[in-house]
Amino acid sequence: MAKILENQLASLHQDFASMGREVATAIQQAAQAFKQEDQQLAKQVVDHDLQINQQEMYLEKKAAQVIALQQPVSSDLRILITILKASSDLERIGDHAASFARATLRIPVDQKNPLIEDAIFKMSQHAYEMLQQVIQAYVDNDEKAARQIAQADSKTDDYLRLIRKEAMSCMQTDPDFVTFGTEYIVVAAHIERIGDYVTNVAEWIVYTNSGKIIELSNN
């Protein structure tokens, strides 16, 4: 029985890490589509979100079955709870990546603001790196790294403030920019939420080790 549980947990670990890497790719592709005005790539990110949703449902179902049939206790149960909760966070990150990609289809070339565009791209790259790092922390079961990654979310918040300030300034001087300035703020908010959900995943890694749910964000 113990060997069966061990094999099932190993399979779930692999599936969760695979989902995390796919979601990270979605962020990276959304950023590339936004920067390069690639509508085909943006649509690809949006369409792929359905597969990410299906992965979450599969992980939830598989983890729930293991809990019901194997009745794990202690550390094994915490691992399964982490997969259940953190897979939901990954699915939400995928949703925000798709929303980010959709913005590529809505902001016309003649209304693009170079300063805001650059900040959004850098912000998205930071969120992408955070997610990559937290998935590696999950694979390594590295609580220290998870805590450090959560602290890096403050940089995402800094980018959001910068983008909001610049967009609001442009909207005040150019009424025609209001629609697109608002769009930029919404895009930055989606990326900021990605940082929040990465922090959630980091918190679940800490829970796996300590058995305690600890809020790591400084916000």
Side-chain angles (χ1 to χ4, degrees), residues 63-83:
Q65 286 178 337
V66 174
I67 292 172
L69 297 176
Q70 302 299 332
Q71 298 182 341
V73 295
S74 189
S75 61
D76 290 337
L77 182 58
R78 291 202 300 272
I79 290 169
L80 288 161
I81 291 172
T82 291
I83 290 170

Side-chain angles (χ1 to χ4, degrees), residues 105-125:
L105 310 175
R106 291 195 295 264
I107 301 177
V109 176
D110 61 349
Q111 290 291 340
K112 289 185 178 293
N113 179 297
L115 191 154
I116 298 176
E117 292 267 327
D118 182 62
I120 284 177
F121 183 74
K122 288 178 179 176
M123 182 185 188
S124 64
Q125 288 302 105

Side-chain angles (χ1 to χ4, degrees), residues 55-165:
Q55 285 178 298
E56 184 220 357
M57 289 187 287
Y58 169 77
L59 278 169
E60 284 189 349
K61 182 179 179 180
K62 192 171 179 180
Q65 286 178 337
V66 174
I67 292 172
L69 297 176
Q70 302 299 332
Q71 298 182 341
V73 295
S74 189
S75 61
D76 290 337
L77 182 58
R78 291 202 300 272
I79 290 169
L80 288 161
I81 291 172
T82 291
I83 290 170
L84 276 168
K85 298 293 187 178
S87 63
S88 178
D89 290 322
L90 290 181
E91 188 274 333
R92 291 188 178 98
I93 292 172
D95 288 343
H96 286 292
S99 295
F100 177 21
R102 288 188 185 96
T104 302
L105 310 175
R106 291 195 295 264
I107 301 177
V109 176
D110 61 349
Q111 290 291 340
K112 289 185 178 293
N113 179 297
L115 191 154
I116 298 176
E117 292 267 327
D118 182 62
I120 284 177
F121 183 74
K122 288 178 179 176
M123 182 185 188
S124 64
Q125 288 302 105
H126 179 65
Y128 164 71
E129 290 167 5
M130 281 180 64
L131 180 54
Q132 277 200 314
Q133 290 166 5
V134 87
I135 294 303
Q136 190 60 51
Y138 170 83
V139 170
D140 297 338
N141 194 28
D142 190 337
E143 180 180 343
K144 181 180 179 181
R147 290 177 179 273
Q148 292 173 341
I149 293 160
Q151 295 307 308
D153 188 37
S154 62
K155 188 174 180 180
T156 313
D157 300 327
D158 291 340
Y159 276 121
L160 178 60
R161 283 189 285 270
L162 171 66
I163 292 162
R164 279 178 174 165
K165 182 179 179 181

